[in-house]
Every structure is written in C-alpha cells, then in structure tokens.
Amino acid sequence: MNVSLLVGAFVLSVLVGAEAAANCGQKKSLVQEFIVNGYRTMAGSWPWHGAMFHRMGRTTTYACGVTVLTEQFVITAAHCTFDQAERQRLPASRVFVRLGITNLDVSDRHVQQHSVDKIIRHEEYDELVFENDIALIKLLNEITYSSYVQPICLWQGDTSLSGIVNQVGYIMGWGLDEEYKLPSDLNQATVPIVSKRDCLESDLAHYTRFYHESKTFCAGYGNGTSAGPGDSGGGLFLHRGDHWFMRGIISNGKVDPNTLLLNSESFVVFTDVAYYMDWIKKHVTIATSVMIDTDLVVAPPPSSTSEAMQSNLLGLQSCGKDQYQLGTPEELKKSLDQYPWLAVIEHINLNTRALEDVCHGVLIHPKFILTAAHCVQRKRQSQLRSVRLNDYRLDTVTDIFVTNGLTTKTTSDRIAITGSSTHPNYNSPKFANNIALLMLGKPTTMTPICLPPKGFPLPTAGKLFSIIGWKRNSRPEKPLIRNVVQLADFETCRRKYLRANITLDTSGGQLCSTYNHDDDGESCSHYMGAAPFQYVVNGPTEGRYYLAALSSFGHTNCRMDEYSDVFTYVGHYVDWIQEKVTKNQ
C-alpha cells in the first residue's frame, strides 16, 4: 500500500528515557525482507516493539504488544495486564516480556526476556469502556540496548487531535487473523488518523461509549486494514526527521458479533499517549533532550522537460520515479512497482538447456541493461541468454501482492539479449573496471533508473543509500531483499584488501561500502553480482532514483566485518556508457 507521511515545517520536541536521550526512536538495523501478501518485518525493523506473555501454571500465552520507553520501563494498555478469562488483575509474577522478537515460534539469540518487577496501571482505568487504558511495566532487570532493542521517543508537543488528523501511523503486532489464529511473524500496517467527527459518525452508538474526549483518537482505513485481537497494547508510531515517536496505544475496536473478531471495516480506538505525559512522568524518569527539525531539505528540481532531460546522463524524460511521498524512509517502501529497473541476468546451461539466474542487471534505457563484466563472461557450461524484468521472488512464477484488500498478480518479462559490451580494461588490475552493457532484443516499457550526468558528484554528507536484489544463500524462499548502505573510507578499505593480496583500483572506478549481511540472525550471505547501489534525489513534488554503483565483490566470509564490500562506481564510466548507448540505440 502507498504510504503517506506528512512532513511539516516545524520543530518537534520529544521525550525519552534519560539513559538514551539522544538515541530514541532510531533504527540501528535496517534490513527488510519482502514477501508476497505484503511483507513481514525482520529483526530490528521496529526495535522498540516487544511482546507480553501471561503465565498460566506451566503454560505461557502471548497476550499483547509493549513498547520500550527506557532501560527499565515498557508501556502498554491497561487491559493487557488483566486475566481476560477471569477478568482479574494479574500479579507481576504472572507476566513477562520479550524484546527484539519478530517470530513467536523462534527464539533468536538477540531476543531478551525480562521478568516484571511492578505493574503500574492508571488509577482511573475503567475496564467496561476502556477509559484510561494505559499501564507502565517496570522490569526486574535493565534492558540491554542493541541493534534489535531500542527505546521510542515520546511526544511532548500539542496534544490536540487536529495536529495529527490525516497523518499516517504505523502499527504492528501478532494479531489474530480471519481464522482466529496467531501469525508467527510480526506484521505491520499503516493506518490514517481520523477526526472525532468521522469516528463517531461511523457508528454513533458504539463510539459514543468507547471514544473518550482528549484521551483517545481513532485510526483506520475502514477497508479491511486494521488491528486485530492480539495487537492490543502495541503502539501507533509517526516518523519525523531521523526519529520515530509514539502517539497512541492500541486499545479497542468494534467486534463482529458473528465471528467475535474485530470488524476490520471499522475504526480502532487508540489511547492518546500525549494526553498522559504528566502521568507517565510521575513514574518514569524522562528528559526532554532531543529536538527534531522536520523541515524537508530537497534538491532543486528540473523546471522544464528540457532541464529534466539534462539532469540525467542519457537524456531520458522519465526515469527513476519514486512511487512514495517525499520523505518516506526507504526501509518502509514496498517492492511492488517501486524498482522496475531491477533485472535478473540469465545464462542458459548448455547441457540441460535450462535457464539459470546468474546476476543482477539495471535498466538504464529502454534498450540497455547495465551489469558487471563478470556476469557477462561465458562460463564453461553456460552462456549469456536473456534478462527478466518485473520479478520479485525468484522461487515463484507468479508473484502475489495484497494491498489495501486488493490482490495483484505479476509475472516477469523475459527479453533476449542481442549484444553485449564489456569494458576494455576489465580485470586490469584484477576485479577493476567490472562493468558491462547489454543490448535488449526489443525495447521495454519498464521505467529505467536515472544515471547521474557528467560531473555530478556522488552525494556523501549524511546521505543514505540502498542496495536491492536477491542474495546467494541456501534458503528455499528467494524474496527481494533491501539493505541500507553506508559509504566506507576507500583508503582504509584499499589497505585491508592489499593485505589479502587484492589490489583495488585507485583511478576512481571503485568505492567501498558496508551493509548488514545477516539474513535471519543465523546466517549471512552476499547479493548476486551487480546489485544496484542507489539513492533518491528529492524535488518539491517527487523523488527520483539515481544509480551510484554496482556490487562487484566482497570477502568470502561475510561475517568478517573488517572487510567492506567493493562496488563499481558508475559515475566513473559515464563517458563509456554514453558512447556505447549513443552508437547502438
């Protein structure tokens, strides 16, 4: 589903635990794995979200979501601290929480389990109408912050509803599905915040009882995307600048009397955390120490079609269009139609006549694919044959996506390769000039990525890059993966590889970068060759993706973090690319 995040020109003050005031609401691990029917979150995607469990004798049961505030406190809904069968308050001894968790059935090594020292429910909580549905949980031992466990920021600003109406929040949890089953994987969804009037008018009899002025707000699409039983206690999060902050706690929703499930076409009621800041501060030591400037900084846009064509190397009028609203964090964008330039290079096995996925390619022109030179070379038993575009999972023929209740099926487009050109200085020195151009048998209608024009420097200061594609591993599922990439110091990288008897190109054709190689917390792997290293340049109305580099090689042991991966810097080869395309188009 498209994500709409509003970025205003104002300064937001946030409250955080004194122990980690400068680092609240920030993700430390930014890998995402895309799957069909939306996508599940991977470890570190929402590091402040955790799970509450209830003990029943020797049995433990997942109950609700929680959110990390400080090293010793998490926050949740008050009704989550009750035994729902007996409708009795649970003692601290019958509750524990797990943090850094994304799968209820798998105990990853980074998951932390904490016993509870004290449960602090709001003194005026009314379980009949869910008024003041908020509680703090003090943990017996302090949380250890990591890439998978981080605190959220709390908003201290204006508590009026008008300031957040129509903004899109993120919710997540292990809520029951339509078959009344708990999913194993943590799921997330976006929900717009609606006005009091829209909420009440949708069902006056119901919401008059459960909507509490100033203390709650409603959110949801009313179209099937909603929270479910089991999502209670989790937060609603909004993104500003480099930080995430918590505005609501999932409290209650309208139940369908026939299924006893939440009616997904109705709004969900959230406890407004901003209203309860004074109550929270009575029990938790917090400090106001983070100021987030949310003014959106954008690059000057092309003001005409002519200027737009000059702003990319090959003079394309349409390239690299970002489908999301300006300011949307890269790790929150879904894959469907977002990266149409990504291609798979296929070789044909000369013995079996089967097509094999070998490398990535990147569409830079309706008739041309850019890739790594080593992907083009004929192998002993296979040779270059074709490319596939519009693919999302390598292990399926038809990819299925469900967005806002609508099902989309996609199949890849295969196009024969009729020509190739490898850089004349490839492998001189070894691994250098690792770039090649492929000519397609027919033009494609897929959108190419933009190439930076001549003399356009690679942005570095504070710029986040992303790498997308498929990894080489033994897992049966082959979904599209994305990582946030950071540039590494090239000279440091060069010296380290030199100790391994590998000489990097010092003429400017290579750069080094780092990203998280962990696939699932237990294994790690590299991308297939020529995975695109890209970035977004924002104008006032839309963003465009530019190709910065192609993955070339990395250390065989991806656990050895001292070795950065090496990429072929595309900007160094713009003259060669432009010459080849101009001669053959």
Side-chain angles (χ1 to χ4, degrees):
M1 66 186 73
N2 285 335
V3 178
S4 176
L5 291 179
L6 304 181
V7 182
F10 60 88
V11 175
L12 184 70
S13 174
V14 295
L15 287 179
V16 298
E19 302 90 339
N23 296 312
C24 68
Q26 291 186 311
K27 300 181 181 184
K28 307 299 181 181
S29 177
L30 295 175
V31 63
Q32 292 278 343
E33 176 183 6
F34 292 96
I35 61 173
V36 293
N37 300 325
Y39 71 96
R40 65 171 179 254
T41 62
M42 287 192 73
S45 299
W46 301 102
W48 36 83
H49 185 80
M52 178 197 298
F53 293 81
H54 292 175
R55 291 188 175 98
M56 304 282 291
R58 295 184 178 181
T59 304
T60 61
T61 306
Y62 166 74
C64 284
V66 300
T67 303
V68 177
L69 291 186
T70 71
E71 288 174 325
Q72 205 156 16
F73 281 90
V74 297
I75 192 169
T76 189
H79 78 261
C80 291
T81 66
F82 279 66
D83 184 312
Q84 297 304 309
E86 300 175 359
R87 303 185 68 84
Q88 297 292 322
R89 296 187 177 200
L90 289 170
S93 61
R94 284 186 54 190
V95 177
F96 68 91
V97 300
R98 287 180 181 156
L99 306 174
I101 182 173
T102 53
N103 188 298
L104 294 178
D105 299 329
V106 177
S107 182
D108 292 318
R109 59 189 175 187
H110 51 258
V111 173
Q112 300 179 32
Q113 180 165 316
H114 292 269
S115 297
V116 172
D117 178 48
K118 183 190 300 183
I119 299 174
I120 306 172
R121 302 171 185 87
H122 196 282
E123 300 81 0
E124 298 179 11
Y125 169 59
D126 185 340
E127 63 180 302
L128 296 179
V129 293
F130 296 99
E131 187 174 7
N132 303 306
D133 191 11
I134 187 171
L136 295 165
I137 295 180
K138 184 180 180 184
L139 305 178
L140 194 60
N141 298 307
E142 288 192 350
I143 296 168
T144 301
Y145 292 146
S146 69
S147 296
Y148 308 99
V149 181
Q150 290 289 316
I152 191 63
C153 299
L154 291 180
W155 192 9
Q156 190 189 352
D158 181 13
T159 62
S160 66
L161 180 61
S162 60
I164 58 172
V165 167
N166 295 325
Q167 296 190 26
V168 174
Y170 287 77
I171 60 175
M172 66 273 330
W174 294 272
L176 299 178
D177 59 23
E178 63 277 3
E179 296 180 356
Y180 216 73
K181 295 179 180 178
L182 280 177
S184 296
D185 294 302
L186 179 64
N187 292 301
Q188 72 174 57
T190 56
V191 288
I193 298 168
V194 301
S195 67
K196 172 187 175 182
R197 177 179 177 179
D198 288 344
C199 184
L200 292 177
E201 288 184 352
S202 68
D203 189 331
L204 189 61
H206 176 81
Y207 290 105
T208 298
R209 184 181 182 193
F210 295 101
Y211 186 98
H212 307 290
E213 185 72 34
S214 300
K215 298 179 179 181
T216 59
F217 61 84
C218 294
Y221 286 99
N223 66 353
T225 300
S226 179
D231 290 329
S232 289
L236 180 143
F237 306 108
L238 298 169
H239 190 254
R240 290 294 180 272
D242 295 328
H243 296 256
W244 289 84
F245 68 94
M246 183 183 196
R247 183 60 194 251
I249 297 172
I250 299 173
S251 176
N252 66 90
K254 184 180 175 182
V255 174
D256 187 322
N258 297 317
T259 64
L260 299 182
L261 291 171
L262 285 183
N263 185 338
S264 60
E265 296 184 354
S266 63
F267 297 122
V268 174
V269 178
F270 292 78
T271 300
D272 192 341
V273 175
Y275 176 85
Y276 293 94
M277 283 308 307
D278 289 340
W279 178 80
I280 294 171
K281 286 188 286 186
K282 283 172 52 180
H283 303 285
V284 184
T285 301
I286 51 180
T288 305
S289 57
V290 177
M291 300 296 291
I292 303 175
D293 186 353
T294 60
D295 284 346
L296 182 62
V297 180
V298 298
S303 58
S304 67
T305 299
S306 174
E307 290 179 15
M309 294 173 67
Q310 293 173 10
S311 68
N312 58 85
L313 177 70
L314 301 180
L316 302 178
Q317 189 169 338
S318 177
C319 64
K321 180 175 172 57
D322 187 355
Q323 303 297 325
Y324 282 77
Q325 184 173 336
L326 290 173
T328 301
E330 190 68 19
E331 69 271 19
L332 297 181
K333 299 173 184 177
K334 294 188 178 181
S335 58
L336 182 61
D337 296 332
Q338 182 63 14
Y339 310 113
W341 45 84
L342 184 63
V344 182
I345 307 297
E346 297 179 320
H347 281 210
I348 185 169
N349 188 301
L350 300 178
N351 292 329
T352 66
R353 309 306 296 175
L355 292 173
E356 300 171 343
D357 299 335
V358 175
C359 282
H360 299 93
V362 186
L363 187 70
I364 61 168
H365 181 280
K367 286 190 66 176
F368 293 93
I369 296 278
L370 200 63
T371 188
H374 75 260
C375 299
V376 174
Q377 290 183 317
R378 178 170 178 166
K379 312 298 181 183
R380 184 175 179 181
Q381 296 180 337
S382 67
Q383 65 182 35
L384 187 66
R385 180 63 176 271
S386 52
V387 303
R388 287 200 319 277
L389 292 157
N390 197 39
D391 209 344
Y392 301 95
R393 287 189 60 151
L394 302 187
D395 57 312
T396 59
V397 175
T398 300
D399 299 325
I400 302 174
F401 294 83
V402 177
T403 305
N404 292 341
L406 299 177
T407 299
T408 302
K409 296 183 179 180
T410 68
T411 55
S412 60
D413 301 320
R414 178 174 286 118
I415 304 176
I417 296 170
T418 57
S420 65
S421 179
T422 300
H423 195 278
N425 295 325
Y426 168 55
N427 245 359
S428 179
K430 191 173 184 180
F431 303 123
N433 305 303
N434 190 11
I435 193 168
L437 198 64
L438 306 178
M439 187 165 65
L440 302 179
K442 63 177 183 179
T444 177
T445 58
M446 304 300 289
T447 302
I449 196 170
C450 300
L451 291 182
K454 292 181 183 180
F456 191 84
L458 182 68
T460 54
K463 190 68 179 179
L464 288 180
F465 301 86
S466 61
I467 181 173
I468 59 171
W470 296 274
K471 288 194 172 184
R472 295 189 185 278
N473 54 40
S474 59
R475 298 171 67 182
E477 294 183 351
K478 297 294 181 184
L480 183 64
I481 301 287
R482 174 181 56 209
N483 287 92
V484 168
V485 185
Q486 294 181 327
L487 286 174
D489 180 70
F490 182 77
E491 183 57 27
T492 301
C493 176
R494 186 192 68 81
R495 288 197 300 266
K496 288 181 178 179
Y497 273 104
L498 191 60
R499 292 199 295 268
N501 296 318
I502 298 175
T503 302
L504 299 190
D505 179 16
T506 57
S507 66
Q510 290 176 327
L511 55 84
C512 296
S513 72
T514 59
Y515 63 88
N516 187 349
H517 289 84
D518 285 354
D519 294 333
D520 53 17
E522 299 296 332
S523 61
C524 66
S525 57
H526 292 279
Y527 285 88
M528 295 193 303
F533 176 121
Q534 58 192 27
Y535 60 96
V536 177
V537 174
N538 286 324
T541 59
E542 67 178 17
R544 291 185 182 271
Y545 283 88
Y546 282 79
L547 181 63
L550 299 172
S551 63
S552 182
F553 66 90
H555 197 282
T556 53
N557 183 353
C558 56
R559 290 270 186 216
M560 294 188 66
D561 294 337
E562 63 175 306
Y563 285 93
S564 302
D565 279 17
V566 179
F567 290 74
T568 300
Y569 175 43
V570 172
H572 186 70
Y573 299 95
V574 291
D575 289 333
W576 178 79
I577 294 170
Q578 190 171 45
E579 177 190 358
K580 292 295 180 182
V581 171
T582 302
K583 282 184 177 180
N584 294 284
Q585 66 179 336

